[in-house]
Amino acid sequence: QPTKKARTAEGARVTVRSSSKSPERVGLRKEPDRQNKWEREALSYPPIQAATVEAPNNDPDSYPYTPELDPAVLTSLPTCRPANPHFRMSREGDTPSQPIPPHRPFPKGPFQIPPIADHEFRGNVSTNMLETIENMRAIEHGPLLLYLIPHGAGKATNAKGVDIARDCQVFLRSLVFNENEAKPYKVFVHTPDNRDEAGKNSMPFSKPWTFLVQLPNNAEPLKRFLLWQRVFAVSKTVSFTIYDMDAGEEYWDIFPIHGPSVTEDATHLEVLNQKAILLQAIKRDMGQNPAFRTLVGDLGVRNLQHQGDLNAIMDTVLSTFHLERTTADTTDSTDLKTVYVLMARPPTETLEEYSRWKGFFNPLSVYRIALQRFEVALLPTRVWCELCKSRIHCTAKCPWPKTDGWLGITPQDLGVRTITAGDGTVKYVGAANKVTSVPLIKHFREIAEQSSDARERANGKAGKRGGGTQGRGGAQGRGGRKG
């Protein structure tokens, strides 16, 4: 090959081969730009953890499905799993300042934190309250606001909303930090105001269940800790999750899929093969829809800054499709059934775009593949957790109450039936709210009354000791105990 003289510093000469394949020229090339925003984001993903369990043998058709060994769990691309908000965990990132003990105990976790879209946080909150929130956030050096979602649902939660807000407020004021000289921050927890009528896109939060936490502007240490710990389960009325108002997350779940061959006792290999053929069929149908291709092409250029052609954009979006194996409940029986939840990363940035994107999946209903029949699960079959608000497991299967030190709401509190096995262990079966609302409200009232009695006894003892309502020993300081 001919050679050229490369320009370098004065007095130095370097010979570089002109062949495009020469090692010297490869080293001089500029690294090409990533093709789209998702690929550029993937550069910041944390390293994928190695499998936490070992396969019992070399035959995946001989042991049950093990999620930790699923290739979809062990890869970042193409499924973009690290970006999937449904798998985010609490206690991620740098550890913030911790509250000074003693304080009421709560389980540390970490917990998988379900996403909640902004339009559902605000869906059925009154217009006046929403305006007040925006005005407060616009104030320079104004208060810090967070969402608080109680672990509960429906009439029972709303019937005791004032008690829940008060008890959570007392608990949050008990968390003190060195940055504030171990003094409590003046925290307020506000109950939500309903709109006069159910707001558009308010389901499933049409009650609503969105409480507000108001912190003083100097309470950054408390805010950082709350957004790091996220989940608190101190008692039946102090059981909640904290959310950032600026998270801006959107759902990846599309719908659950079930069928006669989707069974609980399937082997690992059977599940992997089943997911592969089902995903292939779904991607084929969506990829051949002209209107869907047009929408994805438009969103890919506008929102992903994609530099490829339409086929490349389709490949990028379809590569995020994923089937999450989980359990659904049915509201008309105690039966639980194994299902797959179809997940896909929406290339959207607005609610209108998301609604159009999601609408293209509605016509999908039945797949017959190699004699296997798969159906989109419709009500009464559902995948929804009344406790943690997850969209990828049902209430009876919520993992949170199994956490060591959990003192908060359990599936049984929410009306999920239980059966006791021969070894004495309790198993949850069926959907939530199988107990009617009257007993549930009565149950919450009993809890509140017990908490009130305990509070009065604590206040009485504090009074005899001479501790008032101020300082660390009073009921409103760090010594107060709420139920």
Side-chain angles (χ1 to χ4, degrees):
Q1 292 287 340
T3 60
K4 296 180 180 179
K5 301 297 184 182
R7 294 183 179 180
T8 61
E10 185 177 358
R13 288 181 180 274
V14 177
T15 301
V16 178
R17 298 181 188 276
S18 58
S19 171
S20 61
K21 296 182 180 180
S22 70
E24 296 94 335
R25 288 189 66 83
V26 171
L28 292 173
R29 288 179 192 160
K30 181 182 177 182
E31 180 70 20
D33 293 334
R34 296 286 171 173
Q35 195 175 31
N36 63 77
K37 185 173 71 173
W38 290 353
E39 288 186 357
R40 293 189 289 273
E41 286 178 358
L43 296 176
S44 63
Y45 292 167
I48 297 296
Q49 299 296 319
T52 56
V53 299
E54 292 186 4
N57 54 57
N58 294 325
D59 181 10
D61 202 26
S62 66
Y63 56 85
Y65 173 67
T66 307
E68 294 85 354
L69 300 176
D70 191 327
V73 177
L74 300 175
T75 57
S76 58
L77 287 173
T79 59
C80 289
R81 189 179 181 91
N84 192 325
H86 298 268
F87 301 124
R88 298 260 172 83
M89 303 296 291
S90 65
R91 294 188 154 228
E92 288 186 339
D94 297 334
T95 302
S97 297
Q98 301 293 297
I100 303 172
H103 53 71
R104 298 181 66 180
F106 50 85
K108 302 300 187 291
F111 301 93
Q112 193 175 88
I113 307 297
I116 298 178
D118 187 65
H119 67 265
E120 290 193 340
F121 279 123
R122 299 164 173 256
N124 199 37
V125 178
S126 70
T127 303
N128 288 339
M129 192 170 197
L130 291 177
E131 290 177 354
T132 301
I133 291 172
E134 293 307 312
N135 291 337
M136 293 175 69
R137 298 187 72 194
I139 299 174
E140 187 177 3
H141 307 302
L144 309 175
L145 299 178
L146 300 169
Y147 291 129
L148 182 151
I149 303 297
H151 300 156
K155 296 179 181 178
T157 298
N158 283 314
K160 304 309 298 179
V162 173
D163 293 327
I164 292 172
R166 181 194 61 230
D167 293 356
C168 291
Q169 178 174 293
V170 170
F171 167 70
L172 292 175
R173 290 190 180 192
S174 74
L175 302 177
V176 300
F177 296 81
N178 285 323
E179 290 88 337
N180 198 43
E181 300 179 345
K183 296 178 182 178
Y185 291 109
K186 197 168 185 179
V187 180
F188 295 97
V189 177
H190 305 288
T191 58
D193 290 335
N194 284 328
R195 285 182 178 173
D196 293 336
E197 57 184 8
K200 183 180 179 182
N201 299 312
S202 62
M203 292 298 292
F205 277 69
S206 59
K207 302 302 181 206
W209 303 326
T210 306
F211 289 54
L212 291 172
V213 177
Q214 178 181 338
L215 309 176
N217 186 262
N218 68 330
E220 280 291 344
L222 176 56
K223 178 184 177 181
R224 286 193 294 269
F225 173 74
L226 293 178
L227 290 175
W228 178 75
Q229 173 61 35
R230 302 295 299 273
V231 177
F232 297 86
V234 179
S235 71
K236 298 298 184 183
T237 55
V238 183
S239 189
F240 61 88
T241 306
I242 292 291
Y243 284 86
D244 188 351
M245 282 191 171
D246 296 321
E249 293 179 326
E250 198 53 272
Y251 303 127
W252 286 33
D253 64 295
I254 305 296
F255 45 56
I257 300 171
H258 65 142
S261 60
V262 182
T263 60
E264 183 179 1
D265 58 355
T267 69
H268 190 75
L269 181 61
E270 287 173 338
V271 171
L272 296 186
N273 289 340
Q274 205 169 62
K275 290 172 63 175
I277 62 173
L278 187 52
L279 270 179
Q280 183 180 25
I282 294 173
K283 290 180 180 181
R284 178 200 64 214
D285 284 5
M286 299 305 295
Q288 293 176 353
N289 185 323
F292 183 71
R293 291 174 64 87
T294 299
L295 174 66
V296 169
D298 178 53
L299 296 177
V301 172
R302 184 167 67 247
N303 296 338
L304 306 186
Q305 295 87 52
H306 207 294
Q307 300 173 25
D309 59 15
L310 178 56
N311 288 332
I313 297 174
M314 288 297 301
D315 288 343
T316 296
V317 172
L318 294 178
S319 71
T320 68
F321 282 31
H322 164 64
L323 290 172
E324 182 73 7
R325 183 178 164 90
T326 186
T327 304
D329 61 34
T330 56
T331 56
D332 60 353
S333 74
T334 60
D335 294 334
L336 299 178
K337 62 174 61 177
T338 302
V339 300
Y340 295 114
V341 173
L342 174 63
M343 311 191 82
R345 185 174 189 178
T348 59
E349 292 187 353
T350 67
L351 178 57
E352 181 182 2
E353 290 176 349
Y354 176 78
S355 298
R356 291 175 60 201
W357 151 268
K358 186 75 176 289
F360 277 100
F361 294 89
N362 293 336
L364 303 181
S365 57
V366 178
Y367 283 93
R368 174 80 72 176
I369 308 170
L371 300 182
Q372 297 186 71
R373 180 183 174 90
F374 303 97
E375 298 181 55
V376 173
L378 305 176
L379 290 176
T381 300
R382 63 176 188 171
V383 180
W384 168 251
C385 182
E386 303 276 11
L387 195 156
C388 74
K389 310 302 183 272
S390 173
R391 303 167 71 92
I392 58 174
H393 67 248
C394 64
T395 310
K397 293 293 185 178
C398 186
W400 287 7
K402 299 176 184 177
T403 306
D404 185 40
W406 184 270
L407 300 173
I409 294 294
T410 68
Q412 190 174 12
D413 296 321
L414 301 179
V416 173
R417 296 182 183 182
T418 61
I419 58 174
T420 303
D423 59 0
T425 59
V426 175
K427 180 180 179 182
Y428 296 111
V429 296
N433 299 322
K434 297 305 293 185
V435 179
T436 61
S437 59
V438 172
L440 274 176
I441 294 174
K442 181 180 179 182
H443 177 57
F444 264 72
R445 285 175 177 165
E446 290 173 351
I447 293 173
E449 289 170 359
Q450 293 170 3
S451 302
S452 178
D453 291 342
R455 184 166 55 252
E456 290 176 0
R457 289 194 297 271
N459 288 343
K461 292 179 181 179
K464 291 179 181 180
R465 291 196 300 267
T469 58
Q470 302 296 324
R472 294 171 61 95
Q476 301 301 319
R478 303 201 62 231
R481 288 292 183 267
K482 286 294 301 139

